[in-house]
Amino acid sequence: MFEHIKNRFPLPKEKWRKFIGNFERMEVPAKTLLLNEGEVSNNAFYLEKGIVRAWYNNDGKDVTFQFFLENTMFSSLESFKKGLPSMVSFETVEPCILYKITKPDVEAFLEDVYEHPELRTFFMDALFERIFD
């Protein structure tokens, strides 16, 4: 787990162990809302197994615009980083195994590892990099 992330950011093993130790494992059924549009995102997720969809409400219709597959991190990044209401919702499509981490835990890790704010921003952006096929 997290191997593809570790390979992109060569940090000391003890730093990775501390970071990964902050994740809480969750097994959730299909159709579980992880974040509602309009709420502030205080968590980020690593998807180990399953599929999650990102969607928003457009005049009463759910509009799905992205799916997250296994071994992907996701969050409503703008909301997570800036404390703004999320413009999207996240919902499991099938039963999922997820790992949840809180914003304070991510921030503490970044401050511990990276002295310069621009390096912290680079790490966050790369960690949650969206992959479009």
Side-chain angles (χ1 to χ4, degrees):
M1 185 174 87
F2 298 104
E3 290 306 316
H4 70 287
I5 297 170
K6 287 184 200 177
N7 292 337
R8 290 182 68 185
F9 301 98
L11 298 172
K13 287 182 182 180
E14 63 275 3
K15 299 282 187 193
W16 278 117
R17 274 195 292 270
K18 185 177 178 184
F19 179 58
I20 291 169
N22 288 316
F23 282 82
E24 173 190 339
R25 186 177 190 273
M26 304 169 53
E27 290 188 32
V28 297
K31 300 204 177 277
T32 299
L33 276 172
L34 302 171
L35 177 69
N36 281 309
E37 183 177 346
E39 294 178 349
V40 174
S41 178
N42 294 312
N43 300 300
F45 299 91
Y46 178 86
L47 179 58
E48 180 180 38
K49 185 173 183 346
I51 299 172
V52 172
R53 76 179 180 116
W55 61 275
Y56 61 92
N57 183 305
N58 183 15
D59 294 327
K61 293 178 106 177
D62 290 359
V63 178
T64 299
F65 67 93
Q66 187 171 10
F67 290 97
F68 296 96
L69 306 176
E70 295 172 358
N71 299 313
T72 304
M73 283 202 71
F74 66 92
S75 181
S76 179
L77 196 52
E78 202 62 21
S79 178
F80 187 77
K81 287 170 67 174
K82 297 181 179 179
L84 301 172
S86 176
M87 297 180 72
V88 301
S89 296
F90 295 113
E91 180 181 32
T92 59
V93 174
E94 59 187 25
C96 292
I97 298 174
L98 298 155
Y99 289 83
K100 177 175 75 172
I101 190 167
T102 66
K103 182 178 179 176
D105 286 336
V106 171
E107 289 173 343
F109 169 75
L110 292 175
E111 287 178 20
D112 184 39
V113 173
Y114 298 112
E115 289 181 30
H116 302 289
E118 60 273 6
L119 290 175
R120 286 182 238 157
T121 299
F122 171 76
F123 180 86
M124 280 284 284
D125 290 346
L127 191 62
F128 296 103
E129 183 176 74
R130 301 256 197 307
I131 299 170
F132 296 95
D133 293 330

